Protein backbone atom coordinates (compact mmCIF):
# COMPACT_ATOMS: atom_id res chain seq x y z
CA UNK A 1 0.00 0.00 0.00
CA UNK A 2 1.50 3.26 -1.04
CA UNK A 3 1.50 6.25 1.26
CA UNK A 4 0.41 9.72 0.37
CA UNK A 5 2.55 11.61 -2.14
CA UNK A 6 4.89 14.21 -0.65
CA UNK A 7 5.59 17.57 -2.17
CA UNK A 8 9.24 17.53 -3.28
CA UNK A 9 9.54 21.27 -2.54
CA UNK A 10 8.10 21.07 0.94
CA UNK A 11 11.48 20.56 2.69
CA UNK A 12 13.01 23.32 0.66
CA UNK A 13 10.23 25.66 1.54
CA UNK A 14 10.52 24.75 5.21
CA UNK A 15 14.25 25.58 5.39
CA UNK A 16 14.28 28.61 3.11
CA UNK A 17 15.02 31.87 4.96
CA UNK A 18 12.23 34.24 5.52
CA UNK A 19 12.31 37.21 3.10
CA UNK A 20 12.43 39.71 5.97
CA UNK A 21 15.31 37.90 7.69
CA UNK A 22 17.21 37.76 4.42
CA UNK A 23 16.71 41.49 3.91
CA UNK A 24 17.93 42.26 7.45
CA UNK A 25 21.04 40.18 6.97
CA UNK A 26 21.83 41.96 3.73
CA UNK A 27 21.40 45.30 5.46
CA UNK A 28 23.79 44.31 8.23
CA UNK A 29 26.39 43.17 5.70
CA UNK A 30 26.03 46.46 3.82
CA UNK A 31 26.45 48.50 7.00
CA UNK A 32 29.56 46.47 7.97
CA UNK A 33 31.08 47.06 4.54
CA UNK A 34 30.41 50.80 4.78
CA UNK A 35 31.97 50.90 8.23
CA UNK A 36 35.09 49.09 7.00
CA UNK A 37 35.43 51.39 4.01
CA UNK A 38 34.95 54.43 6.20
CA UNK A 39 37.61 53.28 8.64
CA UNK A 40 40.08 52.50 5.85
CA UNK A 41 39.35 55.78 4.13
CA UNK A 42 39.82 57.77 7.36
CA UNK A 43 43.09 55.98 8.03
CA UNK A 44 44.27 56.84 4.54
CA UNK A 45 43.36 60.47 5.06
CA UNK A 46 45.35 60.54 8.30
CA UNK A 47 48.42 58.59 7.18
CA UNK A 48 48.79 59.80 3.61
CA UNK A 49 49.59 63.44 4.48
CA UNK A 50 52.25 62.27 6.93
CA UNK A 51 53.94 60.22 4.24
CA UNK A 52 53.82 63.00 1.67
CA UNK A 53 54.71 65.92 3.93
CA UNK A 54 58.24 67.29 3.33
CA UNK A 55 60.79 67.32 6.12
CA UNK A 56 60.80 70.62 8.03
CA UNK A 57 63.69 72.95 7.21
CA UNK A 58 66.33 73.42 9.92
CA UNK A 59 66.65 76.91 11.35
CA UNK A 60 68.54 78.59 14.19
CA UNK A 61 66.42 80.77 16.46
CA UNK A 62 68.03 83.39 18.69
CA UNK A 63 65.95 84.26 21.72
CA UNK A 64 66.35 87.90 22.73
CA UNK A 65 67.52 88.53 26.25
CA UNK A 66 68.02 91.78 28.15
CA UNK A 67 71.49 93.38 28.23
CA UNK A 68 72.75 94.66 31.57
CA UNK A 69 75.25 97.53 31.69
CA UNK A 70 77.39 96.95 34.77
CA UNK A 71 80.10 99.60 34.36
CA UNK A 72 80.90 102.77 32.43
CA UNK A 73 84.42 104.20 32.36
CA UNK A 74 85.63 107.39 30.73
CA UNK A 75 88.75 106.98 28.60
CA UNK A 76 91.34 109.46 27.39
CA UNK A 77 93.40 107.38 25.03
CA UNK A 78 95.39 108.38 22.00
CA UNK A 79 95.45 105.46 19.58
CA UNK A 80 98.55 105.73 17.45
CA UNK A 81 99.24 102.33 15.87
CA UNK A 82 97.30 99.25 14.79
CA UNK A 83 99.12 96.03 13.92
CA UNK A 84 97.62 93.31 11.72
CA UNK A 85 98.94 89.82 12.56
CA UNK A 86 98.23 86.34 11.15
CA UNK A 87 99.02 83.25 13.21
CA UNK A 88 98.57 79.48 12.82
CA UNK A 89 98.02 77.57 16.08
CA UNK A 90 98.56 73.80 16.12
CA UNK A 91 97.08 72.46 19.36
CA UNK A 92 96.68 68.82 20.45
CA UNK A 93 95.18 67.15 23.50
CA UNK A 94 97.05 63.87 24.05
CA UNK A 95 95.12 61.30 26.08
CA UNK A 96 96.16 57.97 27.56
CA UNK A 97 93.76 55.07 27.00
CA UNK A 98 93.62 51.36 27.85
CA UNK A 99 95.82 51.65 30.96
CA UNK A 100 98.43 53.66 29.10
CA UNK A 101 98.83 51.21 26.23
CA UNK A 102 97.27 53.53 23.63
CA UNK A 103 97.83 57.24 23.10
CA UNK A 104 94.75 59.00 21.68
CA UNK A 105 94.78 62.52 20.28
CA UNK A 106 92.25 65.29 19.79
CA UNK A 107 93.90 67.99 17.68
CA UNK A 108 93.00 71.08 15.69
CA UNK A 109 94.68 73.60 13.44
CA UNK A 110 93.45 77.17 13.89
CA UNK A 111 94.15 79.93 11.38
CA UNK A 112 93.90 83.17 13.36
CA UNK A 113 93.88 86.77 12.16
CA UNK A 114 94.05 89.52 14.73
CA UNK A 115 94.52 93.23 15.31
CA UNK A 116 96.51 94.91 18.08
CA UNK A 117 95.86 98.55 18.95
CA UNK A 118 98.68 100.51 20.62
CA UNK A 119 98.59 104.04 21.97
CA UNK A 120 99.15 106.45 24.84
CA UNK A 121 96.87 106.68 27.86
CA UNK A 122 96.50 110.43 28.35
CA UNK A 123 94.68 109.87 31.64
CA UNK A 124 98.07 109.07 33.17
CA UNK A 125 99.40 112.55 32.49
CA UNK A 126 99.64 114.58 35.70
CA UNK A 127 99.71 118.32 36.26
CA UNK A 128 103.49 118.29 36.57
CA UNK A 129 103.82 116.56 33.19
CA UNK A 130 102.63 119.62 31.23
CA UNK A 131 104.50 122.94 31.27
CA UNK A 132 104.23 126.03 29.10
CA UNK A 133 106.72 128.92 29.00
CA UNK A 134 104.72 132.00 28.05
CA UNK A 135 107.82 134.02 27.16
CA UNK A 136 109.42 131.52 24.76
CA UNK A 137 106.23 129.71 23.77
CA UNK A 138 107.83 126.32 24.44
CA UNK A 139 105.53 123.54 25.61
CA UNK A 140 107.03 120.63 27.47
CA UNK A 141 105.16 117.33 27.78
CA UNK A 142 106.06 114.19 29.68
CA UNK A 143 104.13 111.21 28.34
CA UNK A 144 103.65 107.68 29.65
CA UNK A 145 105.11 104.91 27.55
CA UNK A 146 102.87 103.46 24.81
CA UNK A 147 100.89 100.37 25.73
CA UNK A 148 98.60 97.79 24.20
CA UNK A 149 95.01 98.95 24.36
CA UNK A 150 93.33 95.90 22.84
CA UNK A 151 94.06 92.61 21.12
CA UNK A 152 91.17 91.07 19.23
CA UNK A 153 90.63 88.28 16.74
CA UNK A 154 88.97 88.94 13.42
CA UNK A 155 86.00 86.56 13.67
CA UNK A 156 85.32 86.66 9.94
CA UNK A 157 88.88 85.66 9.06
CA UNK A 158 89.65 83.28 11.94
CA UNK A 159 88.61 79.68 11.39
CA UNK A 160 89.40 76.06 12.28
CA UNK A 161 91.30 74.58 9.34
CA UNK A 162 91.28 70.96 10.54
CA UNK A 163 89.94 69.04 13.53
CA UNK A 164 90.99 65.44 14.04
CA UNK A 165 89.84 63.21 16.89
CA UNK A 166 91.27 59.69 16.98
CA UNK A 167 89.04 56.67 17.55
CA UNK A 168 89.63 56.26 21.28
CA UNK A 169 90.03 59.95 22.09
CA UNK A 170 87.47 62.01 23.95
CA UNK A 171 86.53 65.22 22.15
CA UNK A 172 87.78 68.17 24.16
CA UNK A 173 85.09 70.85 23.94
CA UNK A 174 87.47 73.47 25.36
CA UNK A 175 90.20 72.89 22.80
CA UNK A 176 89.06 75.56 20.35
CA UNK A 177 88.68 78.14 23.13
CA UNK A 178 92.20 77.39 24.32
CA UNK A 179 93.51 77.66 20.76
CA UNK A 180 91.90 81.08 20.41
CA UNK A 181 93.52 82.24 23.66
CA UNK A 182 96.89 80.92 22.47
CA UNK A 183 96.40 82.81 19.21
CA UNK A 184 95.50 86.05 21.02
CA UNK A 185 98.59 85.87 23.23
CA UNK A 186 100.84 85.03 20.28
CA UNK A 187 99.41 87.87 18.18
CA UNK A 188 99.99 90.41 20.96
CA UNK A 189 103.54 89.17 21.48
CA UNK A 190 104.27 89.34 17.75
CA UNK A 191 102.89 92.89 17.55
CA UNK A 192 105.34 94.12 20.19
CA UNK A 193 108.39 92.85 18.31
CA UNK A 194 110.56 95.05 16.14
CA UNK A 195 110.10 98.82 16.05
CA UNK A 196 106.37 98.91 16.76
CA UNK A 197 106.75 100.86 20.01
CA UNK A 198 109.11 103.32 18.36
CA UNK A 199 106.55 103.92 15.61
CA UNK A 200 103.84 104.42 18.25
CA UNK A 201 105.97 107.05 20.01
CA UNK A 202 106.72 108.87 16.78
CA UNK A 203 103.05 108.97 15.81
CA UNK A 204 102.03 110.25 19.25
CA UNK A 205 104.67 113.00 19.07
CA UNK A 206 103.37 114.14 15.66
CA UNK A 207 99.75 114.27 16.79
CA UNK A 208 100.41 116.04 20.09
CA UNK A 209 102.83 118.50 18.50
CA UNK A 210 100.21 119.46 15.92
CA UNK A 211 97.59 119.89 18.66
CA UNK A 212 99.87 122.03 20.88
CA UNK A 213 100.84 124.19 17.91
CA UNK A 214 97.19 124.89 17.15
CA UNK A 215 96.75 125.94 20.79
CA UNK A 216 99.52 128.56 20.49
CA UNK A 217 102.79 126.76 21.29
CA UNK A 218 105.75 127.81 19.14
CA UNK A 219 107.75 124.71 19.93
CA UNK A 220 106.92 121.41 21.61
CA UNK A 221 109.37 119.30 23.58
CA UNK A 222 108.27 115.75 24.42
CA UNK A 223 109.98 113.26 26.62
CA UNK A 224 108.86 109.79 27.59
CA UNK A 225 108.43 108.49 31.06
CA UNK A 226 110.36 105.33 31.86
CA UNK A 227 108.31 102.13 32.00
CA UNK A 228 107.32 101.34 35.59
CA UNK A 229 107.33 104.97 36.72
CA UNK A 230 104.12 106.75 37.62
CA UNK A 231 101.96 103.60 37.69
CA UNK A 232 103.12 102.11 34.33
Amino acid sequence: MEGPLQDPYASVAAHAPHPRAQAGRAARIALLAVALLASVGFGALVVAPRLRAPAPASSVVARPSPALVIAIRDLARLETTEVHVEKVVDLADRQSRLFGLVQATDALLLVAVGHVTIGVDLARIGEDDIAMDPETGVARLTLPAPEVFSTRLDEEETYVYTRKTSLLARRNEQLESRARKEATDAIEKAALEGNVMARAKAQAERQLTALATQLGAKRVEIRWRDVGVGGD
Side-chain angles (χ1 to χ4, degrees):
M1 182 176 180
E2 297 180 0
L5 296 176
Q6 296 181 356
D7 189 354
Y9 300 100
S11 60
V12 176
H15 294 86
H18 195 275
R20 293 184 179 178
Q22 188 175 6
R25 181 180 181 185
R28 289 195 298 271
I29 294 175
L31 291 177
L32 180 60
V34 171
L36 290 175
L37 290 175
S39 62
V40 172
F42 181 76
L45 291 175
V46 173
V47 176
R50 296 182 181 178
L51 296 177
R52 292 193 297 266
S58 176
S59 61
V60 178
V61 179
R63 296 183 179 179
S65 59
L68 179 63
V69 179
I70 59 176
I72 299 177
R73 182 177 61 174
D74 296 330
L75 300 177
R77 292 180 171 181
L78 177 61
E79 296 183 357
T80 60
T81 308
E82 184 175 86
V83 184
H84 177 89
V85 183
E86 296 182 1
K87 177 70 176 178
V88 176
V89 178
D90 188 359
L91 198 62
D93 180 15
R94 304 188 184 278
Q95 306 169 11
S96 179
R97 292 289 182 268
L98 299 179
F99 306 99
L101 299 177
V102 178
Q103 293 294 323
T105 304
D106 183 23
L108 65 80
L109 194 65
L110 179 72
V111 178
V113 178
H115 305 279
V116 180
T117 302
I118 301 173
V120 178
D121 189 357
L122 301 180
R124 296 187 178 186
I125 298 178
E127 295 181 359
D128 297 336
D129 295 329
I130 301 177
M132 179 70 178
D133 190 343
E135 295 182 359
T136 61
V138 177
R140 295 179 176 85
L141 304 177
T142 301
L143 303 177
E147 60 184 275
V148 175
F149 285 163
S150 65
T151 303
R152 65 187 186 280
L153 295 180
D154 190 335
E155 297 298 335
E156 295 184 356
E157 299 293 334
T158 301
Y159 61 95
V160 176
Y161 183 74
T162 59
R163 180 70 185 264
K164 296 180 180 179
T165 305
S166 57
L167 182 60
L168 297 179
R170 178 180 57 84
R171 188 178 179 87
N172 189 345
E173 300 298 338
Q174 303 298 325
L175 195 61
E176 182 177 349
S177 299
R178 182 174 176 182
R180 287 176 173 269
K181 184 179 184 306
E182 293 283 344
T184 302
D185 295 341
I187 287 173
E188 180 174 333
K189 182 178 179 180
L192 298 179
E193 297 177 352
N195 62 342
V196 174
M197 285 302 179
R199 291 171 60 91
K201 287 182 178 181
Q203 180 65 13
E205 290 176 358
R206 284 192 293 267
Q207 294 183 19
L208 292 177
T209 298
L211 178 61
T213 301
Q214 293 178 1
L215 295 177
K218 297 181 179 179
R219 184 163 58 90
V220 180
E221 297 180 355
I222 297 177
R223 73 181 187 90
W224 293 93
R225 187 184 305 154
D226 295 334
V227 178
V229 178
D232 289 353

